[in-house]
Amino acid sequence: MSDDCIFCSIVAGDVPARTVYETDEVVAFLDANPLARGHTLVIPKTHVARVGDLDADRASVLFDAVAELTPRIQAAVDADAANVGINDGEAAGQEVPHVHAHVIPRFEGDGGAPIHAVGGARPDLSDDELDGIAAAIAD
């Protein structure tokens, strides 16, 4: 755990949270600054700052919890759908440097946008650029 991490303080029980799910490895709680009714954060109990720092087991346990909780969250607030996302790094909007998945219930006509809206203007990429990016990721 990290001494200066608010999520680690929640895991330790030093900061209260509205916990909705907990196992030995994962905890989920309502976001203190929700974007919608039922907005929930799902975190590994072990302090891990970035997605790439998660080992395979922790990543699996985290996503298993997200998959289990998403329909439960939607049902609890009678949502029509949900956005599930992770902000990975400060430039992506990660405010707490501890991996956390957002489950944000969505309602027909709520005025929200799809996940595609977070990227801003779409880049105009040539086939050569796309091939280069694909090759770099695959390597």
Side-chain angles (χ1 to χ4, degrees), residues 26-37:
V26 174
V27 65
F29 47 89
L30 296 182
D31 192 306
N33 298 298
L35 297 175
R37 291 176 53 248

Side-chain angles (χ1 to χ4, degrees), residues 84-137:
V84 176
I86 297 174
N87 299 321
D88 190 38
E90 194 173 332
Q94 184 180 15
E95 295 176 357
V96 177
H98 184 126
V99 170
H100 54 288
H102 294 260
V103 180
I104 305 168
R106 296 297 305 276
F107 304 88
E108 198 67 43
D110 65 9
I115 202 84
H116 293 91
V118 302
R122 293 177 186 246
D124 184 20
L125 300 170
S126 70
D127 286 341
D128 287 343
E129 289 173 299
L130 290 169
D131 290 342
I133 293 166
I137 293 170

Side-chain angles (χ1 to χ4, degrees), residues 24-96:
D24 290 341
E25 298 184 52
V26 174
V27 65
F29 47 89
L30 296 182
D31 192 306
N33 298 298
L35 297 175
R37 291 176 53 248
H39 182 172
T40 301
L41 302 179
V42 186
I43 70 168
K45 286 186 172 181
T46 302
H47 184 81
V48 178
R50 301 285 298 267
V51 170
D53 298 329
L54 284 169
D55 62 35
D57 289 339
R58 281 197 183 95
S60 178
V61 169
L62 179 67
F63 197 75
D64 285 348
V66 170
E68 180 179 337
L69 286 168
T70 298
R72 288 171 48 182
I73 293 164
Q74 288 175 254
V77 297
D78 198 27
D80 299 306
N83 287 116
V84 176
I86 297 174
N87 299 321
D88 190 38
E90 194 173 332
Q94 184 180 15
E95 295 176 357
V96 177

